Amino acid sequence: MARDGSFQPRFESLVEIYEHAISKYKDQPLFGTKVGGDWQWMTYAEFQTHTDELRGGLAALGVGEDDVVACIANNRAEWAVGAYATYGLAARYCPMYESQLAKDWQYILDDAGAKVCIVANDEIREALEAFKDECESLEHIIVLGESKDDALTYDDVREMGRKKPAPLAKPSGDHIAGFIYTSGTTGKPKGVLLSHQNLASNVSAMHEVFPMGTEDRSLSFLPWAHSFGQTVELHGLFSMGASMGIAESVPKIIENLSEVQPTLLFSVPRIFNKIHDGVLKKVEEDGGLKKKLFHAAIATAKQKKSLAEQRRSSGFVDLKHKILDNLVSSKVRARFGGRLKYAFSGGAAISKEVAEFIDALGITVYEGYGLTETSPIATANWPGARKIGSVGKPIPGVRIEIDRKVTGDPKHGEIIVFGHNVMQGYHGLPEENDKVFVEGGGFRTGDMGFIDDDGFLTITGRIKEQYKLENGKYVVPAPLEELLQLSPMINQAFVFGDNKPFNVALIVPDFASLEKWASENGLGQDRDALLTNDKVLALMREECDKASGDFKQYEKIKKLELLPEEFTVENGLLTPKMSVKRRKVIEKYQPNLDALYRK
């Protein structure tokens, strides 16, 4: 921080970060990949070799300043090589998800004007080949790994670069580094244009408030195609000499945690919720003394923390905590590799209950807030400035304003973000830009929240998701949905009541828990029968009543229906970053919702 309080970013561009990291951390491990049962690590020096060669190869293919290189692949070392090779040509990187539909790839490639697309495998290449002629700008498709059809591969392009190296460009801070397309919960995805300064200023702020080092390691599963994973994990850890083990898949996260032994975990609340539920289910299965000791350990950890917040301590509590931590909590942490010390949550609001639970296990939770359009971090909790339940304070270089005129509420309003991190705009959408930018360069987030007396921001919902009941009362569904999904019996929940007399809910049960309960209660295992069984419905109503205990009467759920099918990316009800597409859910289940009001 400068003496006058203004923020002077350490890095102006991602190329500057690249030069810093490869010169300072050459021999350090960077990316770990599991191959044949063993973890193999690419060093910073090896990453430099790959990146410099690919940069030369891309240049040989005709990629130059402001050209667009797209990438359709999950996290892998080559994803990062592609990104930094692109930045080094002053070109633009445009990542997508393997899980997206072909029509989304086509739209984004065409909208961005991609010249080259790097793809994970032949299957994706073949999908792109089917519409390549319709994408006027797309000239080359590069396959990572081998290709059965002798298509252009990553190794081919590196070989081109070895023969004809390309110099490292030095783009300015206001030069566009890339596109990140929003997930499109309400319509076509929008291309968010992020400059080198947008991203580098976010990384620089991390250095100010949360420096990490060469001893730190993450298990990477949060997609780098999403702004949180890309900026905070990939660019942030790369700039600090840390390492990233790349998870094999989401189902193997727990197994990979024990192998990689990370000190850091970057995730969205959905994964933390699964960890919370998984630990509690195991405790219930163990029962007896183990269950009593576990709950005693959690309660003691919370008591110790409460005393610390009051600047007090107790020798008895400290001793009890030490004993129970060794007996219980350390065993739980061992399942996650035994070295995990910090958990970073973003992308959506984490439940206070889940955050306190993970904290009590001895893993400190730091929640932040931001959007793709803010590169993404706008606020964060950090050492010495942490309040569970909030999303923290503005990071260096960022200012937050609360517009209460939009909501008409004396406390809650729309969050507006000002700072180095605010995007350059939506690609080719001037009308959309006019809707979100305010005088002074601020960005209207569409999120509701308030700032408390200590300067911490709390998120209370999305303005677009807020709806009005027939009685004129406003309801924000997300907080109640999050609490419902903490029930061991509930996998997903969708609350609805727009212009209706009361709220109803569509609930996808946690079938493993439900079937176990049904067996214990003599109800059989037929899923279709369970979904309409009166005892099961009564159980789910109890879970809804428990979750909504602290909510106002008009916010509570009066009726519900159980669904047999999860909301997923594949059925079009979730975005790739696991946000519910509310409009799509309503479209698909409108008859079910209408029927709940007729019963």
Side-chain angles (χ1 to χ4, degrees), residues 100 108 180-185 187-192 372-373 426 576:
Q100 281 176 288
I108 292 171
I180 295 182
Y181 276 78
T182 58
S183 301
T185 57
K188 286 188 180 297
K190 298 189 287 259
V192 177
T372 301
E373 292 89 341
Y426 295 118

Side-chain angles (χ1 to χ4, degrees), residues 27 78 94 103 179 190 198 219 229 235 244 248-249 273 300 321 364 407 417 468-470 479 483 512 515 541 564:
D27 297 327
E78 296 91 340
C94 179
K103 65 177 184 178
F179 301 73
K190 298 189 287 259
N198 287 152
L219 178 71
H235 300 320
M244 291 159 259
E248 295 176 273
S249 64
N273 291 348
T300 304
H321 174 261
T364 308
T407 57
V417 179
K468 190 187 288 187
L469 296 170
E470 273 184 1
L483 286 176
E515 287 166 0
R541 288 191 194 99

Side-chain angles (χ1 to χ4, degrees), residues 141-203:
I141 301 171
I142 302 169
V143 181
L144 300 176
E146 295 181 359
S147 173
K148 65 186 181 200
D149 295 329
D150 293 324
L152 185 66
T153 69
Y154 173 80
D155 287 340
D156 293 336
V157 180
R158 283 181 58 202
E159 177 61 27
M160 293 163 64
R162 279 193 289 271
K163 292 177 180 177
K164 191 178 180 180
L168 184 65
K170 303 292 179 73
S172 63
D174 58 6
H175 209 103
I176 300 298
F179 301 73
I180 295 182
Y181 276 78
T182 58
S183 301
T185 57
T186 57
K188 286 188 180 297
K190 298 189 287 259
V192 177
L193 291 170
L194 297 175
S195 70
H196 279 268
Q197 184 189 53
N198 287 152
L199 297 163
S201 71
N202 240 222
V203 172

Side-chain angles (χ1 to χ4, degrees), residues 88-106:
L89 292 169
R92 305 175 176 189
Y93 203 56
C94 179
M96 289 171 273
Y97 302 87
E98 288 187 34
S99 60
Q100 281 176 288
L101 301 175
K103 65 177 184 178
D104 293 329
W105 295 334
Q106 182 176 0

Side-chain angles (χ1 to χ4, degrees), residues 112-347:
K115 179 178 278 191
V116 174
C117 188
I118 301 168
V119 300
N121 51 49
D122 263 339
E123 185 180 354
I124 297 173
R125 177 187 61 80
E126 289 167 0
L128 267 57
E129 293 281 8
F131 58 72
K132 184 172 180 287
D133 291 343
E134 298 172 45
C135 291
E136 293 182 8
S137 62
L138 187 59
E139 297 177 7
H140 304 285
I141 301 171
I142 302 169
V143 181
L144 300 176
E146 295 181 359
S147 173
K148 65 186 181 200
D149 295 329
D150 293 324
L152 185 66
T153 69
Y154 173 80
D155 287 340
D156 293 336
V157 180
R158 283 181 58 202
E159 177 61 27
M160 293 163 64
R162 279 193 289 271
K163 292 177 180 177
K164 191 178 180 180
L168 184 65
K170 303 292 179 73
S172 63
D174 58 6
H175 209 103
I176 300 298
F179 301 73
I180 295 182
Y181 276 78
T182 58
S183 301
T185 57
T186 57
K188 286 188 180 297
K190 298 189 287 259
V192 177
L193 291 170
L194 297 175
S195 70
H196 279 268
Q197 184 189 53
N198 287 152
L199 297 163
S201 71
N202 240 222
V203 172
S204 298
M206 288 177 64
H207 280 256
E208 291 277 339
V209 300
F210 215 119
M212 288 164 270
T214 55
E215 74 284 357
D216 284 307
R217 175 170 293 174
S218 72
L219 178 71
S220 177
F221 55 84
L222 193 65
W224 294 338
H226 180 230
S227 58
F228 179 30
Q230 184 183 142
T231 303
V232 182
E233 183 174 46
L234 175 59
H235 300 320
L237 295 193
F238 177 56
S239 74
M240 297 182 192
S243 56
M244 291 159 259
I246 299 170
E248 295 176 273
S249 64
V250 171
K252 290 193 174 182
I253 285 174
I254 300 299
E255 177 186 330
N256 290 165
L257 281 168
S258 66
E259 297 165 341
V260 171
Q261 299 182 328
T263 59
L264 315 168
L265 187 63
F266 299 89
S267 184
V268 291
R270 184 177 174 84
I271 299 297
F272 290 122
N273 291 348
K274 286 185 177 295
I275 290 173
H276 168 269
D277 293 348
V279 171
L280 287 183
K281 283 177 183 175
K282 180 69 167 60
V283 168
E284 286 299 318
E285 288 171 8
D286 290 342
L289 179 60
K290 285 186 177 180
K291 180 178 176 180
K292 288 180 181 178
L293 285 171
F294 177 83
H295 288 294
I298 295 295
T300 304
K302 289 181 178 180
Q303 186 180 7
K304 178 179 168 67
K305 183 189 170 193
S306 177
L307 287 169
E309 288 172 349
Q310 301 168 45
R311 299 178 184 275
R312 296 169 54 205
S313 64
S314 162
F316 174 72
V317 171
D318 288 347
L319 178 61
K320 186 178 176 184
H321 174 261
K322 183 177 181 180
I323 293 169
L324 288 170
D325 187 76
N326 286 332
L327 280 174
V328 181
S329 302
S330 64
K331 305 293 192 302
V332 177
R333 293 195 299 273
R335 292 186 63 208
F336 308 138
R339 295 203 311 144
L340 195 58
K341 55 184 181 180
Y342 301 134
F344 300 89
S345 179

